Amino acid sequence: MHADKRGREFYILAAFFALFVVFLYGPLSAIVILSFQGPNGGLTFPLNGVSLRWFANLFETQAVGDFGGSFRRSSMLGLMVMVVTVVVSLLAGLAFRRRFAGSTALFYLAVASLVVPSIIISLGIGVVFQQLGLQPAWYTSGFGAHLTWTLPFGVLIMFAVFNRFSPAYEEAARDLGATSWQTFAHVVLPMIAPSLIGVGLFGFTLSYDEFARTLMTAGTFNTLPLEIYGMTTNVTTPVLYALGTVTTVFSLVVIGATLGLIVAMNRRRMRG
């Protein structure tokens, strides 16, 4: 028998991780369980039967809340933010590979929004739109507000990617007669493609779940986080929990599909 040589630090970290898991998945587990309440069940334990009644209720006309519309708006906004975040982050990563005048100031200006409270940014954008006589909407002011949150993360990720990227691959391609565009399209882009997919996933999920920066910029129509928040004061049935379960499963499916795509691309590159 081997003696357990694990020190006190191991057990402290194990206990901390266990608490982290409990705080992260405990409330989520409760929401998932309560979403299967029976037709006469309430918002708290114990379960009064088991059914799929509240999931079916999501597709029915609601007295309060617009599930379908808010989900479509959040999904569309997330896709818009994802595309712009990927393109701008890639261009920024390429631009900052070489030093230029004002690059340091521009870098800190780009990531400054990470330290500004989200509600302040939301309020500021909303006020500016009103002063300009423009109506705030999720696809204009909300779109811009979300980019102030996703772009700094995307830029930082691409900076890290290009800092580890060896220019020897590009030099070899140019020595073989490739143009700058051919080098980028056939050498650089395939190598950084998994990172770009990660940036896209980051941008989509950050936008899809964002509440504070949407609060003052969404305009008349709510995104899904705003709709869920509004329902907490009006809905008194487990349909709210069913909605939370569905959106959580949707998020996990998107993450799983993205990770699967990254793994497949890495395997294909290794075989090539």
Side-chain angles (χ1 to χ4, degrees):
M1 296 293 292
H2 296 282
D4 189 353
K5 297 182 179 180
R6 293 169 179 168
R8 181 178 59 183
E9 295 82 1
F10 171 82
Y11 294 101
I12 293 175
L13 290 175
F16 177 80
F17 179 75
L19 287 174
F20 167 77
V21 171
V22 169
F23 274 93
L24 177 62
Y25 293 104
L28 181 60
S29 300
I31 288 175
V32 172
I33 293 172
L34 286 170
S35 65
F36 291 95
Q37 278 272 24
N40 298 319
L43 296 173
T44 58
F45 289 104
L47 291 177
N48 187 3
V50 178
S51 74
L52 299 176
R53 169 72 182 86
W54 307 112
F55 291 96
N57 188 246
L58 290 174
F59 301 96
E60 300 173 358
T61 302
Q62 303 292 322
V64 178
D66 179 15
F67 303 145
S70 60
F71 174 76
R72 287 191 296 271
R73 285 187 287 273
S74 282
S75 299
M76 183 60 66
L77 180 57
L79 290 173
M80 292 165 56
V81 170
M82 177 186 71
V83 171
V84 174
T85 299
V86 169
V87 172
V88 174
S89 298
L90 173 60
L91 295 178
L94 292 171
F96 275 85
R97 295 183 73 187
R98 296 181 180 180
R99 283 283 183 176
F100 55 89
S103 60
T104 301
L106 184 59
F107 167 77
Y108 286 110
L109 183 64
V111 300
S113 64
L114 294 180
V115 298
V116 179
S118 297
I119 191 65
I120 298 300
I121 292 178
S122 176
L123 179 62
I125 293 176
V127 170
V128 169
F129 264 67
Q130 291 178 359
Q131 291 298 318
L132 294 176
L134 302 175
Q135 181 66 32
W138 61 270
Y139 51 85
T140 54
S141 54
F143 175 59
H146 282 207
L147 287 177
T148 65
W149 182 231
T150 61
L151 279 179
F153 285 106
V155 169
L156 289 174
I157 292 173
M158 293 312 301
F159 282 0
V161 169
F162 281 116
N163 281 337
R164 300 194 308 268
F165 190 86
S166 174
Y169 300 106
E170 297 166 278
E171 294 172 1
R174 286 193 290 266
D175 289 341
L176 293 174
T179 63
S180 298
W181 171 250
Q182 289 173 329
T183 300
F184 172 76
H186 299 290
V187 177
V188 177
L189 189 58
M191 296 182 71
I192 66 172
S195 299
L196 289 177
I197 294 174
V199 170
L201 174 63
F202 220 157
F204 180 84
T205 53
L206 287 176
S207 172
Y208 181 78
D209 295 332
E210 181 58 26
F211 173 81
R213 296 183 190 232
T214 319
L215 187 59
M216 304 292 181
T217 59
T220 305
F221 299 99
N222 286 339
T223 58
L224 189 58
L226 295 180
E227 197 71 23
I228 293 176
Y229 178 77
M231 288 171 57
T232 58
T233 59
N234 297 304
V235 177
T236 57
T237 64
V239 68
L240 181 59
Y241 297 140
L243 178 60
T245 300
V246 169
T247 55
T248 301
V249 170
F250 173 76
S251 299
L252 293 176
V253 169
V254 171
I255 294 172
T258 304
L259 292 178
L261 180 60
I262 292 175
V263 171
M265 293 183 65
N266 284 333
R267 289 179 177 176
R268 182 178 179 182
R269 188 176 65 181
M270 292 292 291
R271 292 172 182 173

